[in-house]
Amino acid sequence: MNKIHPLASVHPNAKLGDNVEVGPYAFIDDNVTIGDGCVIMPHAVVFNHVKMGKNCTVYPGAVVGAIPQDLKFEGEESWVEIGDRVNIRECATINRGTKASGKAVTKIGSDTLVMSYVHVAHDCCIGNHCILVSYTGLAGETDVDDWATIGGKSGSHQFSHIGAHAFVGAVSRISKDVPPYVLAGREPLSFEGVNRVGLSRRGFSEEKINEIKDIYETIYFKGMNVSQALEYIEANFPATEERDTILRFIKGSDRGIISKPRERR
């Protein structure tokens, strides 16, 4: 049975699952689907064209599904799609997609934490188990792969890509792609090593972490350019899921990847 506060505003066409709670002064618009067990707290706003999975929580002041802040937007139908068990904290904003991108959808994966005052712009794609720390701003069409963490007050250039299991330090300017499994920090944003602590917590063996470390040592510190390093890795490192994830990411990078630390250039 749902618990809808009498001071909440829920559009009659909104589709709410079972055991949904909606607090006072919360607003849920038309063309919204809210999954089982979700909590929409007081003063939270869910505009139209939002699909939300199960057991999500939207905290006070958060706004999900506002039209994109993109001059190419012409009022077309576009969406926000949110997975299961997503926490959207106070005053975070998640905008709809645009047709100009060819996607027309902004996506947030399951088990992701969007902390207070985070902004996720149009057509971003955030993976599963990600953490976006407070005051982070992601420009349009930023992709963040599974298990990545972006430190507080960081900002991404549009079309940026942050790889799986990467950790980006606080107050970072993300203007180049951040490859999988790495630590990134400083200004300009640079490779600072492998995300050893994060990988260990997620069950990666010491042997596997060292394999990833050796691959990045080859890319950054063996005197080769990126193309040469990738050819060397493909020829000399055994094919593994991690090796292939790194190769695929870097080969597919349009913006180019972050550079090595300044003192080791």
Side-chain angles (χ1 to χ4, degrees), residues 207-233:
E207 179 182 16
K208 183 61 65 178
I209 293 171
N210 286 333
E211 172 198 327
I212 295 168
K213 177 179 178 293
D214 290 343
I215 289 172
Y216 280 114
E217 286 285 329
T218 301
I219 293 170
Y220 283 109
F221 303 121
K222 297 297 184 181
M224 294 178 273
N225 64 36
V226 173
S227 296
Q228 292 169 335
L230 296 183
E231 290 178 4
Y232 181 89
I233 291 164

Side-chain angles (χ1 to χ4, degrees), residues 125-162:
C125 184
I126 313 302
N128 303 315
H129 303 281
C130 294
I131 300 175
L132 307 180
V133 180
S134 296
Y135 299 96
T136 287
L138 301 183
E141 301 187 60
T142 297
D143 290 337
V144 182
D145 294 342
D146 295 350
W147 294 101
T149 298
I150 302 179
K153 298 185 178 181
S154 295
S156 73
H157 192 284
Q158 60 263 39
F159 311 110
S160 297
H161 191 182
I162 293 90

Side-chain angles (χ1 to χ4, degrees), residues 2 15-21 32-40 50-56 82-84:
N2 295 331
K15 298 177 182 178
L16 274 58
D18 296 329
N19 301 312
V20 172
E21 297 182 24
V32 170
T33 299
I34 304 288
D36 297 347
C38 288
V39 178
I40 311 300
V50 172
K51 299 176 182 177
M52 188 177 299
K54 299 178 180 179
N55 300 310
C56 297
I82 295 171
D84 300 329

Side-chain angles (χ1 to χ4, degrees), residues 60-250:
V63 180
V64 180
I67 62 171
Q69 300 170 62
D70 182 354
L71 297 178
K72 298 185 296 298
F73 181 70
E74 298 177 342
E76 66 268 16
E77 181 177 312
S78 61
W79 291 85
V80 169
E81 296 180 357
I82 295 171
D84 300 329
R85 299 172 301 279
V86 174
N87 282 311
I88 302 169
R89 296 303 304 256
E90 297 82 355
C91 301
T93 54
I94 302 172
N95 289 173
R96 284 163 47 191
T98 64
K99 68 177 182 181
S101 71
K103 302 173 186 176
V105 62
T106 301
K107 294 184 178 182
I108 309 289
S110 295
D111 300 294
T112 282
L113 172 59
V114 180
M115 291 189 185
S116 56
Y117 294 93
V118 164
H119 176 65
V120 180
H122 66 91
D123 301 291
C124 288
C125 184
I126 313 302
N128 303 315
H129 303 281
C130 294
I131 300 175
L132 307 180
V133 180
S134 296
Y135 299 96
T136 287
L138 301 183
E141 301 187 60
T142 297
D143 290 337
V144 182
D145 294 342
D146 295 350
W147 294 101
T149 298
I150 302 179
K153 298 185 178 181
S154 295
S156 73
H157 192 284
Q158 60 263 39
F159 311 110
S160 297
H161 191 182
I162 293 90
H165 298 276
F167 187 101
V168 179
V171 200
S172 290
R173 179 171 62 91
I174 306 168
S175 58
K176 295 286 188 179
D177 291 344
V178 180
Y181 314 115
V182 308
L183 290 172
R186 304 196 186 194
E187 172 59 34
L189 193 64
S190 304
F191 171 81
E192 294 294 324
V194 172
N195 185 14
R196 183 177 293 274
V197 173
L199 294 175
S200 179
R201 288 173 176 171
R202 293 162 200 154
F204 284 72
S205 67
E206 190 69 17
E207 179 182 16
K208 183 61 65 178
I209 293 171
N210 286 333
E211 172 198 327
I212 295 168
K213 177 179 178 293
D214 290 343
I215 289 172
Y216 280 114
E217 286 285 329
T218 301
I219 293 170
Y220 283 109
F221 303 121
K222 297 297 184 181
M224 294 178 273
N225 64 36
V226 173
S227 296
Q228 292 169 335
L230 296 183
E231 290 178 4
Y232 181 89
I233 291 164
E234 204 155 14
N236 292 278
F237 284 76
T240 64
E241 179 181 349
E242 291 74 20
R243 187 207 75 161
D244 292 346
T245 295
I246 294 168
L247 292 176
R248 186 166 54 247
F249 182 99
I250 297 176

